[in-house]
Amino acid sequence: MNPMEKTGWTPLPHSDEDLERAKSVPDTPQTRASTYRLAWNDEEFMTRRELRAVRLQLELLKPEMILAERGIRSTVILFGGARLPEPGGEAWAAKNEIQKKNLEKNSKYYEEARKFAQICSRHSASSYYREYVVVTGGGPGVMEAGNRGAADVGAPSIGLNIVLPHEQAPNEYVTPELCFNFHYFAIRKMHFVMRAKAVAVFPGGFGTMDEFFETLTLIQTGRMERVPVILFGKAFWERAIDLDFLAEQGTITPGDQDIIDFVDTAEEAWRIISRFYKLKTR
């Protein structure tokens, strides 16, 4: 029985009981008809366009309920490129020699992401893995490094995967019972920030930029409380974005750049988080 259904007694049959009963009916043209299926157990019905609002709600509810049951109160997000290899690994995404050279050069951020996740996870252990739990997009590259760092120290970590046109599978280091899959980008993004106490952003492409700027927008507009937003790789980000230029042009307020901290190492990033939340360092 679903644990959530044990919270109160009811004389009515539970949904899981009726599901089993519905499977045991005689095989007839009537029972084989799609209309006979219980609505919430009918994939054809549940994937109709008119049911989008219901699916949105389900994608919000399922991870939220599971994380709450697990007792996870806060997270540290690791955003970053799926294409970054681990040091010494193959630059599988490179389309030319220049990309191969740069991806291999930036593989150092895979290692820093892994170290950073180790540090966060060691601190998370003091709360029985309820606070500062590592969460990634669940894929390769920096995401893999984050989940791998948590696994290195025996800690759980969360993976929020998304269905994409090309093959997308969770990396092997995500804690299986905390591995989620989404159809809607918007709901996935909500789950990233709903518990976030810090956001670490490593070099990446359009997806990383999207997640980074959405976080900045939420903080800058006051829709999200100020949390540390840490960019790994100052040299990379100073070429990739120019926030001082935006301030000069008047498209952001002078001082909005201060939402961000730049670091090059995992230790620097954790010191920023420790100072922000006045954490005891070991």
Side-chain angles (χ1 to χ4, degrees):
M1 183 181 296
N2 187 318
M4 296 297 289
E5 294 183 340
K6 293 180 180 179
T7 56
W9 179 83
T10 173
L12 302 174
H14 288 288
S15 55
D16 57 344
E17 294 171 333
D18 267 359
L19 180 60
E20 290 305 311
R21 289 169 182 164
K23 293 177 181 177
S24 64
V25 297
D27 182 22
T28 69
Q30 290 75 24
T31 62
R32 288 195 297 271
S34 62
T35 50
Y36 183 77
R37 299 177 199 142
L38 291 166
W40 41 267
N41 194 44
D42 183 348
E43 290 186 5
E44 185 179 341
F45 175 69
M46 286 298 296
T47 53
R48 287 180 58 156
R49 187 164 295 182
E50 297 91 334
L51 271 288
R52 179 177 291 153
V54 175
R55 294 193 300 273
L56 283 162
Q57 185 178 21
L58 290 173
E59 285 209 344
L60 181 64
L61 279 172
K62 182 180 177 180
E64 177 64 18
M65 291 166 64
I66 292 171
L67 293 175
E69 289 167 7
R70 183 87 177 212
I72 295 174
R73 295 190 293 259
S74 72
T75 58
V76 176
I77 306 171
L78 275 73
F79 290 138
R83 304 181 183 195
L84 293 189
E86 64 177 304
E90 179 188 1
W92 55 269
K95 303 301 181 184
N96 53 54
E97 286 302 312
I98 293 176
Q99 287 196 344
K100 181 176 184 293
K101 176 184 175 182
N102 286 324
L103 285 170
E104 289 174 352
K105 177 183 176 182
N106 287 328
S107 67
K108 63 186 178 183
Y109 295 114
Y110 180 107
E111 191 61 28
E112 290 305 321
R114 185 176 176 181
K115 289 179 184 176
F116 179 64
Q118 291 170 359
I119 296 171
C120 294
S121 298
R122 289 192 187 102
H123 185 83
S124 181
S126 64
S127 65
Y128 302 98
Y129 304 114
R130 292 185 177 94
E131 304 279 358
Y132 300 97
V133 178
V134 166
V135 57
T136 80
V142 167
M143 296 173 279
E144 176 187 284
N147 298 117
R148 186 175 182 179
D152 287 339
V153 296
S157 66
I158 304 165
L160 305 181
N161 285 81
I162 186 80
V163 178
L164 297 173
H166 52 81
E167 184 178 354
Q168 166 76 359
N171 69 68
E172 62 182 302
Y173 302 103
V174 181
T175 300
E177 59 269 25
L178 296 176
C179 188
F180 302 97
N181 201 17
F182 292 85
H183 172 67
Y184 296 106
F185 266 98
I187 301 299
R188 178 176 180 254
K189 288 178 181 178
M190 285 186 67
H191 279 293
F192 269 124
V193 300
M194 282 168 64
R195 288 174 167 82
K197 276 195 171 177
V199 182
V201 188
F202 295 79
F206 290 157
T208 302
M209 298 281 189
D210 175 50
E211 293 157 344
F212 167 53
F213 276 104
E214 182 140 28
T215 303
L216 286 187
T217 301
L218 289 171
I219 294 173
Q220 189 249 13
T221 57
R223 296 294 298 171
M224 175 180 175
E225 286 189 27
R226 178 78 179 268
V227 302
V229 178
I230 304 166
L231 295 185
F232 275 75
K234 187 171 185 179
F236 175 91
W237 289 108
E238 284 183 338
R239 287 286 307 275
I241 58 174
D242 190 343
L243 296 183
D244 290 334
F245 174 76
L246 295 181
E248 289 171 4
Q249 297 299 308
T251 56
I252 64 173
T253 301
D256 280 346
Q257 310 98 303
D258 298 336
I259 295 172
I260 302 163
D261 288 292
F262 293 93
V263 302
D264 287 306
T265 68
E267 291 79 10
E268 292 176 86
W270 184 252
R271 282 197 292 271
I272 289 169
I273 295 170
S274 295
R275 286 197 301 268
F276 189 91
Y277 291 108
K278 298 179 174 60
L279 302 176
K280 293 181 180 179
T281 56
R282 296 183 179 183

